Amino acid sequence: MAAAAMRAAAMSLAAPGIRLSAVVRSLRAAVRSVCTQPVSVNERIENKRQAALLGGGQRRIDAQHKRGKLTARERISLLLDPGSFVESDMFVEHRCADFGMAADKNKFPGDSVVTGRGRINGRLVYVFSQDFTVFGGSLSGAHAQKICKIMDQAMTVGAPVIGLNDSGGARIQEGVESLAGYADIFLRNVTASGVIPQISLIMGPCAGGAVYSPALTDFTFMVKDTSYLFITGPDVVKSVTNEDVTQEELGGARTHTTMSGVAHRAFENDVDALCNLREFFNYLPLSSQDPAPVRECHDPSDRLVPELDTIVPLESTKAYNMVDIIHSVVDEREFFEIMPSYAKNIIVGFARMNGRTVGIVGNQPKVASGCLDINSSVKGARFVRFCDAFNIPLITFVDVPGFLPGTAQEYGGIIRHGAKLLYAFAEATVPKVTVITRKAYGGAYDVMSSKHLCGDTNYAWPTAEIAVMGAKGAVEIIFKGHENVEAAQAEYIEKFANPFPAAVRVLRVSSLVWAELGGSSAGGPGISHAAVSSGGLTGASPRWPHSHGWCWLSGFVDDIIQPSSTRARICCDLDVLASKKVQRPWRKHANIPL
């Protein structure tokens, strides 16, 4: 009896120990489970990351290199500052389950595009780079969503977007979802237009609907021999029109930079293109809310340029190179020309004046005597509107004998296309400085950022000729049947083949315009309405209300300057105009003659 009681007592004392041992064993198992689980997850993350970095696999990477092309990630590494790239959505995969696409072998982390943000020379930029090693870079729904995401972020923070295009087009297996993805991107291209700079670099094929995204961006660059842009490929063209044409002839870099005007420049290879893109990026503001970039300048703003005093030939029919004038005037002779191989009779591009980014527009007397035609008008208008959208001052060098005559131009719509350039200059509210180097004839004089289109400062060189037309044509009309034609021509040249008539003229204000601007019957302090209407103002030039986007009442040119002083005068004017503010009447949008 006593023994049984002792055993029971011993058992009651041992029970808590047994339970404690069981609890300890359970805790140890749980700890082991918790400790081993993260290792497994980390391994999976690392494996996925390595798979994403490898893209379509080493074999396809080697094939890409064999074509003379870099991979999507190599391009980003070369474009952005070292170590600055922050990738987004690396683990995203496509969602298509049809046609065997659900198999693991057809799933690639990141799908066929690499997206993220980084910096170029310390300045923020968002970038996407299509990966041709994954399904030929074709666009899936997930691919499109990744691009849309970074475009939305770029607009939110105010930073440019650069797209590196290398894609076979829509992913056929996904059907309409792929097409919807393109439309989503197009919508964001349009929404971002004029808000942030958008740049496309075509580094491979870009066909079908895919071409419209680069077409909607501000600048499109191509790589020679490896990039193509076309709506339909050579096979479709052959079947529909029976034309035999190669990819290069149909949509290569040479075609689009010299004939169609779709691309703005072409570069030798991927490395050359990306290095030039880094240089180009430095000229652009990050968004429409930012001023034109300014960097430290070691080229004196008051530097005289003596060679300009003799650069314009004495014979008015002899050509000279306007690019030489541009190089002489801008900082350190650095000029990034846009579309240098297309519509060569007009020059457009970016430079710096006293460290500040400026847009340059100039007629080229070496090509078609500098006449404006359809292509040059469209080229110039597009560039002027970009500069105006992003607060980049405009400097215009004028030597234009008029619009190019001929049935081809008239049938092609030179009236409508020429109006685009006129509209662009008139609409622009950024600082506008114009220099007339020689001829400024007819309607083309008005179009090229004249004082009448609210040019802020308009200069003429002593060689300037501002008139309705050249002396010979004018004399044939005015003095038809005159006995001494040579004397009449000399009289006309004496009167108009110099800058003085424009310098002494005063802009006229109609009574209707003056009333709309809120002017009184007296026309303002010290100005009579009659004097304004008759153009008989003298003395100091009064000002039109600039809040309505109009101009100063002044001479058609503000001064006749020595060519050597051009740089100093422009730099001084840009400093003064840096605080220019213009308010226009509200409207939903204008209706440019497209």
mmCIF file of all heavy atoms in Angstrom, residues 297-331:
data_model
loop_
_atom_site.group_PDB
_atom_site.id
_atom_site.type_symbol
_atom_site.label_atom_id
_atom_site.label_comp_id
_atom_site.label_asym_id
_atom_site.label_seq_id
_atom_site.Cartn_x
_atom_site.Cartn_y
_atom_site.Cartn_z
ATOM 1 N N CYS A 297 30.199 77.386 -67.933
ATOM 2 C CA CYS A 297 30.710 77.726 -69.261
ATOM 3 C C CYS A 297 32.081 78.390 -69.136
ATOM 4 O O CYS A 297 32.263 79.325 -68.344
ATOM 5 C CB CYS A 297 29.736 78.656 -69.979
ATOM 6 S SG CYS A 297 30.306 79.213 -71.592
ATOM 7 N N HIS A 298 33.019 77.918 -69.941
ATOM 8 C CA HIS A 298 34.373 78.491 -69.947
ATOM 9 C C HIS A 298 34.628 79.329 -71.212
ATOM 10 O O HIS A 298 35.733 79.809 -71.425
ATOM 11 C CB HIS A 298 35.408 77.372 -69.840
ATOM 12 C CG HIS A 298 35.261 76.523 -68.614
ATOM 13 N ND1 HIS A 298 35.586 76.974 -67.351
ATOM 14 C CD2 HIS A 298 34.798 75.257 -68.454
ATOM 15 C CE1 HIS A 298 35.343 76.024 -66.461
ATOM 16 N NE2 HIS A 298 34.864 74.973 -67.102
ATOM 17 N N ASP A 299 33.587 79.458 -72.038
ATOM 18 C CA ASP A 299 33.681 80.263 -73.250
ATOM 19 C C ASP A 299 33.094 81.640 -72.929
ATOM 20 O O ASP A 299 31.912 81.757 -72.626
ATOM 21 C CB ASP A 299 32.876 79.588 -74.361
ATOM 22 C CG ASP A 299 33.154 80.197 -75.728
ATOM 23 O OD1 ASP A 299 33.783 81.266 -75.783
ATOM 24 O OD2 ASP A 299 32.719 79.605 -76.738
ATOM 25 N N PRO A 300 33.888 82.714 -72.967
ATOM 26 C CA PRO A 300 33.396 84.040 -72.558
ATOM 27 C C PRO A 300 32.145 84.459 -73.331
ATOM 28 O O PRO A 300 32.079 84.334 -74.559
ATOM 29 C CB PRO A 300 34.572 84.969 -72.874
ATOM 30 C CG PRO A 300 35.767 84.081 -72.887
ATOM 31 C CD PRO A 300 35.295 82.754 -73.399
ATOM 32 N N SER A 301 31.154 84.959 -72.587
ATOM 33 C CA SER A 301 29.897 85.363 -73.235
ATOM 34 C C SER A 301 30.084 86.591 -74.113
ATOM 35 O O SER A 301 29.316 86.811 -75.048
ATOM 36 C CB SER A 301 28.831 85.631 -72.172
ATOM 37 O OG SER A 301 29.234 86.696 -71.325
ATOM 38 N N ASP A 302 31.098 87.398 -73.841
ATOM 39 C CA ASP A 302 31.324 88.609 -74.632
ATOM 40 C C ASP A 302 32.397 88.406 -75.696
ATOM 41 O O ASP A 302 32.947 89.373 -76.232
ATOM 42 C CB ASP A 302 31.707 89.771 -73.717
ATOM 43 C CG ASP A 302 32.955 89.473 -72.891
ATOM 44 O OD1 ASP A 302 33.439 88.308 -72.918
ATOM 45 O OD2 ASP A 302 33.443 90.386 -72.205
ATOM 46 N N ARG A 303 32.682 87.157 -76.019
ATOM 47 C CA ARG A 303 33.709 86.857 -77.015
ATOM 48 C C ARG A 303 33.308 87.406 -78.386
ATOM 49 O O ARG A 303 32.197 87.167 -78.874
ATOM 50 C CB ARG A 303 33.915 85.341 -77.096
ATOM 51 C CG ARG A 303 34.787 84.886 -78.267
ATOM 52 C CD ARG A 303 35.127 83.410 -78.199
ATOM 53 N NE ARG A 303 33.951 82.551 -78.163
ATOM 54 C CZ ARG A 303 33.300 82.119 -79.240
ATOM 55 N NH1 ARG A 303 33.688 82.525 -80.454
ATOM 56 N NH2 ARG A 303 32.256 81.318 -79.114
ATOM 57 N N LEU A 304 34.203 88.135 -79.019
ATOM 58 C CA LEU A 304 33.980 88.614 -80.382
ATOM 59 C C LEU A 304 34.401 87.539 -81.380
ATOM 60 O O LEU A 304 35.304 86.732 -81.106
ATOM 61 C CB LEU A 304 34.756 89.895 -80.633
ATOM 62 C CG LEU A 304 34.362 91.098 -79.765
ATOM 63 C CD1 LEU A 304 35.221 92.304 -80.109
ATOM 64 C CD2 LEU A 304 32.876 91.434 -79.946
ATOM 65 N N VAL A 305 33.748 87.528 -82.532
ATOM 66 C CA VAL A 305 34.031 86.513 -83.551
ATOM 67 C C VAL A 305 34.373 87.241 -84.856
ATOM 68 O O VAL A 305 33.509 87.437 -85.724
ATOM 69 C CB VAL A 305 32.814 85.583 -83.757
ATOM 70 C CG1 VAL A 305 33.220 84.382 -84.616
ATOM 71 C CG2 VAL A 305 32.233 85.130 -82.429
ATOM 72 N N PRO A 306 35.624 87.690 -85.016
ATOM 73 C CA PRO A 306 35.995 88.527 -86.178
ATOM 74 C C PRO A 306 35.732 87.860 -87.522
ATOM 75 O O PRO A 306 35.424 88.556 -88.507
ATOM 76 C CB PRO A 306 37.500 88.759 -85.969
ATOM 77 C CG PRO A 306 37.724 88.527 -84.502
ATOM 78 C CD PRO A 306 36.751 87.484 -84.098
ATOM 79 N N GLU A 307 35.847 86.528 -87.609
ATOM 80 C CA GLU A 307 35.670 85.873 -88.909
ATOM 81 C C GLU A 307 34.256 86.028 -89.457
ATOM 82 O O GLU A 307 34.030 85.874 -90.666
ATOM 83 C CB GLU A 307 36.021 84.380 -88.811
ATOM 84 C CG GLU A 307 35.191 83.567 -87.834
ATOM 85 C CD GLU A 307 35.827 83.452 -86.456
ATOM 86 O OE1 GLU A 307 36.580 84.366 -86.066
ATOM 87 O OE2 GLU A 307 35.563 82.448 -85.780
ATOM 88 N N LEU A 308 33.294 86.344 -88.599
ATOM 89 C CA LEU A 308 31.920 86.529 -89.081
ATOM 90 C C LEU A 308 31.766 87.800 -89.913
ATOM 91 O O LEU A 308 30.832 87.917 -90.701
ATOM 92 C CB LEU A 308 30.939 86.568 -87.902
ATOM 93 C CG LEU A 308 30.771 85.275 -87.101
ATOM 94 C CD1 LEU A 308 29.713 85.454 -86.027
ATOM 95 C CD2 LEU A 308 30.409 84.106 -88.015
ATOM 96 N N ASP A 309 32.671 88.747 -89.744
ATOM 97 C CA ASP A 309 32.575 90.005 -90.495
ATOM 98 C C ASP A 309 32.769 89.801 -91.990
ATOM 99 O O ASP A 309 32.367 90.652 -92.800
ATOM 100 C CB ASP A 309 33.596 91.016 -89.975
ATOM 101 C CG ASP A 309 33.222 91.538 -88.593
ATOM 102 O OD1 ASP A 309 32.030 91.503 -88.250
ATOM 103 O OD2 ASP A 309 34.136 91.969 -87.856
ATOM 104 N N THR A 310 33.384 88.700 -92.373
ATOM 105 C CA THR A 310 33.654 88.457 -93.799
ATOM 106 C C THR A 310 33.067 87.134 -94.288
ATOM 107 O O THR A 310 33.385 86.693 -95.389
ATOM 108 C CB THR A 310 35.178 88.448 -94.050
ATOM 109 O OG1 THR A 310 35.796 87.474 -93.191
ATOM 110 C CG2 THR A 310 35.773 89.811 -93.779
ATOM 111 N N ILE A 311 32.232 86.494 -93.499
ATOM 112 C CA ILE A 311 31.753 85.151 -93.870
ATOM 113 C C ILE A 311 30.690 85.199 -94.956
ATOM 114 O O ILE A 311 30.563 84.278 -95.762
ATOM 115 C CB ILE A 311 31.233 84.396 -92.625
ATOM 116 C CG1 ILE A 311 31.142 82.902 -92.937
ATOM 117 C CG2 ILE A 311 29.897 84.951 -92.146
ATOM 118 C CD1 ILE A 311 30.921 82.038 -91.722
ATOM 119 N N VAL A 312 29.912 86.275 -95.001
ATOM 120 C CA VAL A 312 28.865 86.383 -96.026
ATOM 121 C C VAL A 312 29.477 86.971 -97.290
ATOM 122 O O VAL A 312 30.031 88.079 -97.262
ATOM 123 C CB VAL A 312 27.696 87.268 -95.543
ATOM 124 C CG1 VAL A 312 26.656 87.439 -96.658
ATOM 125 C CG2 VAL A 312 27.056 86.660 -94.306
ATOM 126 N N PRO A 313 29.408 86.272 -98.436
ATOM 127 C CA PRO A 313 30.024 86.766 -99.677
ATOM 128 C C PRO A 313 29.378 88.078 -100.138
ATOM 129 O O PRO A 313 28.206 88.355 -99.870
ATOM 130 C CB PRO A 313 29.741 85.648 -100.687
ATOM 131 C CG PRO A 313 29.440 84.439 -99.857
ATOM 132 C CD PRO A 313 28.802 84.944 -98.607
ATOM 133 N N LEU A 314 30.170 88.882 -100.854
ATOM 134 C CA LEU A 314 29.661 90.145 -101.383
ATOM 135 C C LEU A 314 28.602 89.904 -102.459
ATOM 136 O O LEU A 314 27.656 90.671 -102.582
ATOM 137 C CB LEU A 314 30.816 90.971 -101.955
ATOM 138 C CG LEU A 314 31.854 91.453 -100.929
ATOM 139 C CD1 LEU A 314 32.998 92.170 -101.634
ATOM 140 C CD2 LEU A 314 31.206 92.365 -99.890
ATOM 141 N N GLU A 315 28.777 88.830 -103.238
ATOM 142 C CA GLU A 315 27.791 88.494 -104.261
ATOM 143 C C GLU A 315 26.597 87.839 -103.579
ATOM 144 O O GLU A 315 26.733 86.808 -102.918
ATOM 145 C CB GLU A 315 28.378 87.541 -105.300
ATOM 146 C CG GLU A 315 29.598 88.100 -106.033
ATOM 147 C CD GLU A 315 30.896 87.826 -105.287
ATOM 148 O OE1 GLU A 315 30.804 87.321 -104.155
ATOM 149 O OE2 GLU A 315 31.960 88.124 -105.817
ATOM 150 N N SER A 316 25.419 88.393 -103.773
ATOM 151 C CA SER A 316 24.234 87.879 -103.074
ATOM 152 C C SER A 316 23.811 86.507 -103.561
ATOM 153 O O SER A 316 23.021 85.832 -102.904
ATOM 154 C CB SER A 316 23.072 88.861 -103.248
ATOM 155 O OG SER A 316 22.720 88.973 -104.615
ATOM 156 N N THR A 317 24.335 86.082 -104.720
ATOM 157 C CA THR A 317 23.968 84.764 -105.252
ATOM 158 C C THR A 317 24.957 83.671 -104.837
ATOM 159 O O THR A 317 24.741 82.501 -105.138
ATOM 160 C CB THR A 317 23.894 84.812 -106.783
ATOM 161 O OG1 THR A 317 25.156 85.264 -107.300
ATOM 162 C CG2 THR A 317 22.787 85.739 -107.243
ATOM 163 N N LYS A 318 26.022 84.063 -104.161
ATOM 164 C CA LYS A 318 27.046 83.090 -103.776
ATOM 165 C C LYS A 318 26.689 82.458 -102.427
ATOM 166 O O LYS A 318 26.293 83.145 -101.487
ATOM 167 C CB LYS A 318 28.411 83.764 -103.704
ATOM 168 C CG LYS A 318 29.566 82.788 -103.553
ATOM 169 C CD LYS A 318 30.901 83.505 -103.679
ATOM 170 C CE LYS A 318 32.055 82.527 -103.564
ATOM 171 N NZ LYS A 318 33.374 83.205 -103.670
ATOM 172 N N ALA A 319 26.839 81.145 -102.345
ATOM 173 C CA ALA A 319 26.440 80.422 -101.131
ATOM 174 C C ALA A 319 27.550 80.442 -100.087
ATOM 175 O O ALA A 319 28.725 80.677 -100.386
ATOM 176 C CB ALA A 319 26.084 78.981 -101.483
ATOM 177 N N TYR A 320 27.150 80.220 -98.854
ATOM 178 C CA TYR A 320 28.074 80.023 -97.742
ATOM 179 C C TYR A 320 27.417 79.040 -96.787
ATOM 180 O O TYR A 320 26.233 78.703 -96.933
ATOM 181 C CB TYR A 320 28.388 81.349 -97.037
ATOM 182 C CG TYR A 320 27.177 82.020 -96.435
ATOM 183 C CD1 TYR A 320 26.853 81.853 -95.094
ATOM 184 C CD2 TYR A 320 26.334 82.825 -97.211
ATOM 185 C CE1 TYR A 320 25.726 82.464 -94.549
ATOM 186 C CE2 TYR A 320 25.227 83.435 -96.673
ATOM 187 C CZ TYR A 320 24.912 83.247 -95.344
ATOM 188 O OH TYR A 320 23.800 83.830 -94.802
ATOM 189 N N ASN A 321 28.163 78.550 -95.817
ATOM 190 C CA ASN A 321 27.661 77.504 -94.915
ATOM 191 C C ASN A 321 27.170 78.122 -93.610
ATOM 192 O O ASN A 321 27.958 78.640 -92.817
ATOM 193 C CB ASN A 321 28.759 76.477 -94.636
ATOM 194 C CG ASN A 321 28.211 75.214 -93.998
ATOM 195 O OD1 ASN A 321 27.060 75.172 -93.549
ATOM 196 N ND2 ASN A 321 29.028 74.164 -93.956
ATOM 197 N N MET A 322 25.860 78.060 -93.373
ATOM 198 C CA MET A 322 25.299 78.614 -92.152
ATOM 199 C C MET A 322 25.798 77.877 -90.903
ATOM 200 O O MET A 322 25.848 78.462 -89.813
ATOM 201 C CB MET A 322 23.772 78.570 -92.209
ATOM 202 C CG MET A 322 23.069 79.265 -91.061
ATOM 203 S SD MET A 322 23.340 81.062 -91.025
ATOM 204 C CE MET A 322 22.141 81.604 -92.254
ATOM 205 N N VAL A 323 26.181 76.614 -91.056
ATOM 206 C CA VAL A 323 26.701 75.853 -89.915
ATOM 207 C C VAL A 323 27.973 76.501 -89.376
ATOM 208 O O VAL A 323 28.227 76.483 -88.167
ATOM 209 C CB VAL A 323 26.946 74.381 -90.308
ATOM 210 C CG1 VAL A 323 27.601 73.610 -89.151
ATOM 211 C CG2 VAL A 323 25.639 73.705 -90.691
ATOM 212 N N ASP A 324 28.769 77.102 -90.262
ATOM 213 C CA ASP A 324 29.988 77.788 -89.817
ATOM 214 C C ASP A 324 29.644 78.954 -88.891
ATOM 215 O O ASP A 324 30.338 79.208 -87.902
ATOM 216 C CB ASP A 324 30.791 78.292 -91.023
ATOM 217 C CG ASP A 324 31.374 77.152 -91.852
ATOM 218 O OD1 ASP A 324 31.517 76.043 -91.300
ATOM 219 O OD2 ASP A 324 31.657 77.368 -93.040
ATOM 220 N N ILE A 325 28.582 79.676 -89.201
ATOM 221 C CA ILE A 325 28.144 80.784 -88.345
ATOM 222 C C ILE A 325 27.687 80.252 -86.994
ATOM 223 O O ILE A 325 28.037 80.797 -85.941
ATOM 224 C CB ILE A 325 27.010 81.575 -89.036
ATOM 225 C CG1 ILE A 325 27.544 82.298 -90.273
ATOM 226 C CG2 ILE A 325 26.373 82.567 -88.063
ATOM 227 C CD1 ILE A 325 26.495 83.058 -91.047
ATOM 228 N N ILE A 326 26.909 79.175 -87.022
ATOM 229 C CA ILE A 326 26.403 78.597 -85.778
ATOM 230 C C ILE A 326 27.554 78.148 -84.890
ATOM 231 O O ILE A 326 27.598 78.458 -83.687
ATOM 232 C CB ILE A 326 25.450 77.422 -86.088
ATOM 233 C CG1 ILE A 326 24.195 77.941 -86.799
ATOM 234 C CG2 ILE A 326 25.070 76.683 -84.801
ATOM 235 C CD1 ILE A 326 23.314 76.843 -87.368
ATOM 236 N N HIS A 327 28.511 77.421 -85.467
ATOM 237 C CA HIS A 327 29.656 76.950 -84.682
ATOM 238 C C HIS A 327 30.445 78.112 -84.094
ATOM 239 O O HIS A 327 30.943 78.030 -82.968
ATOM 240 C CB HIS A 327 30.579 76.099 -85.559
ATOM 241 C CG HIS A 327 30.075 74.707 -85.770
ATOM 242 N ND1 HIS A 327 30.431 73.937 -86.858
ATOM 243 C CD2 HIS A 327 29.240 73.937 -85.040
ATOM 244 C CE1 HIS A 327 29.835 72.763 -86.787
ATOM 245 N NE2 HIS A 327 29.111 72.742 -85.687
ATOM 246 N N SER A 328 30.555 79.191 -84.832
ATOM 247 C CA SER A 328 31.342 80.333 -84.355
ATOM 248 C C SER A 328 30.672 81.056 -83.191
ATOM 249 O O SER A 328 31.347 81.625 -82.340
ATOM 250 C CB SER A 328 31.570 81.325 -85.504
ATOM 251 O OG SER A 328 32.296 80.733 -86.548
ATOM 252 N N VAL A 329 29.350 81.023 -83.152
ATOM 253 C CA VAL A 329 28.610 81.802 -82.159
ATOM 254 C C VAL A 329 28.391 81.033 -80.859
ATOM 255 O O VAL A 329 28.454 81.605 -79.771
ATOM 256 C CB VAL A 329 27.261 82.256 -82.763
ATOM 257 C CG1 VAL A 329 26.352 82.841 -81.697
ATOM 258 C CG2 VAL A 329 27.499 83.289 -83.866
ATOM 259 N N VAL A 330 28.120 79.727 -80.933
ATOM 260 C CA VAL A 330 27.718 78.959 -79.753
ATOM 261 C C VAL A 330 28.921 78.624 -78.867
ATOM 262 O O VAL A 330 30.080 78.764 -79.273
ATOM 263 C CB VAL A 330 26.975 77.666 -80.155
ATOM 264 C CG1 VAL A 330 25.757 78.002 -80.981
ATOM 265 C CG2 VAL A 330 27.899 76.715 -80.915
ATOM 266 N N ASP A 331 28.627 78.148 -77.660
ATOM 267 C CA ASP A 331 29.679 77.785 -76.709
ATOM 268 C C ASP A 331 30.565 76.681 -77.274
ATOM 269 O O ASP A 331 30.074 75.625 -77.712
ATOM 270 C CB ASP A 331 29.063 77.275 -75.401
ATOM 271 C CG ASP A 331 28.403 78.386 -74.599
ATOM 272 O OD1 ASP A 331 28.496 79.555 -75.019
ATOM 273 O OD2 ASP A 331 27.801 78.076 -73.557
#
